[in-house]
Amino acid sequence: MKKIFIFAVTLMSMFALGCEKDYNPSSTTRADFQQSYPNAVDVEWEREHGHIVAEFKLPGVSNECEAWFTKDGTWVLTTFDIKKSELPQAVLNAFESEYGAMTPIDDIKYVTRSNGDDVYFIEIENIVDNQLVDLFLDYSPDGKLLRTWVEVEYYENIYYYL
């Protein structure tokens, strides 16, 4: 019983350390964010996995965006929820040639990164080894599949390259 208690306390601590809502970043980080996204609305700041994250909406662009910064306020990446119609043709062609044009897509994110290597994340549900899974596909803008990983439903997470 003592082991279960210790495990539960450890697990709760990990969740508490993983994400801190209502974080107040430095004025420099806020100013850099405002300069990059002057039209951002509904901005909420938090700390997540050692990074400063601004969740926001960008009218006319995306209703779900996140800008990630290092602890010292250096911008790392920004994610934007996008529609299938906004995918580059090369990414759409690569996805549809592997999974078919009729495969329903759960979520698509465009990620622009400070190193210039942008990525498109496509999430679908699929059957792998007779289990319903969330399948995450990471594509470069030219349609190259960078990574595939699987998350088994019911929180039995397994991540691996296929």
Side-chain angles (χ1 to χ4, degrees):
M1 188 67 156
K2 185 176 179 181
K3 287 181 183 179
I4 293 172
F5 176 76
I6 292 171
F7 175 74
V9 169
T10 303
L11 191 59
M12 287 188 302
S13 298
M14 287 172 40
F15 283 119
L17 294 173
C19 182
E20 179 186 328
K21 292 280 187 186
D22 300 324
Y23 178 75
N24 190 13
S26 71
S27 58
T28 305
T29 302
R30 281 184 182 272
D32 289 348
F33 171 80
Q34 185 62 37
Q35 183 177 356
S36 296
Y37 304 103
N39 298 326
V41 296
D42 298 334
V43 180
E44 294 180 12
W45 292 90
E46 60 186 40
R47 287 188 49 90
E48 193 168 330
H49 301 288
H51 287 81
I52 302 166
V53 181
E55 294 180 352
F56 61 102
K57 295 178 182 177
L58 205 53
V61 177
S62 178
N63 282 330
E64 289 188 35
C65 308
E66 290 183 347
W68 288 64
F69 300 85
T70 61
K71 290 179 198 176
D72 68 0
T74 303
W75 175 75
V76 180
L77 61 81
T78 301
T79 68
F80 303 91
D81 275 13
I82 64 170
K83 299 174 187 159
K84 185 177 179 180
S85 61
E86 297 173 291
L87 283 171
Q89 194 61 49
V91 174
L92 184 61
N93 291 346
F95 172 76
E96 289 182 349
S97 71
E98 181 68 26
Y99 296 95
M102 300 307 292
T103 299
I105 295 175
D106 289 343
D107 192 29
I108 302 174
K109 292 194 184 309
Y110 167 61
V111 181
T112 181
R113 304 188 307 172
S114 60
N115 66 6
D117 293 335
D118 296 350
V119 181
Y120 291 86
F121 297 148
I122 299 176
E123 177 187 351
I124 62 173
E125 284 188 342
N126 207 348
I127 303 294
V128 174
D129 294 332
N130 296 320
Q131 292 186 12
L132 180 63
V133 300
D134 289 324
L135 188 60
F136 298 88
L137 310 160
D138 303 353
Y139 289 95
S140 65
D142 63 0
K144 179 182 177 192
L145 182 62
L146 302 172
R147 184 174 77 128
T148 302
W149 58 282
V150 174
E151 182 178 284
V152 176
E153 294 292 320
Y154 309 113
Y155 305 106
E156 295 177 25
N157 297 324
I158 56 171
Y159 302 104
Y160 60 92
Y161 287 98
L162 294 177

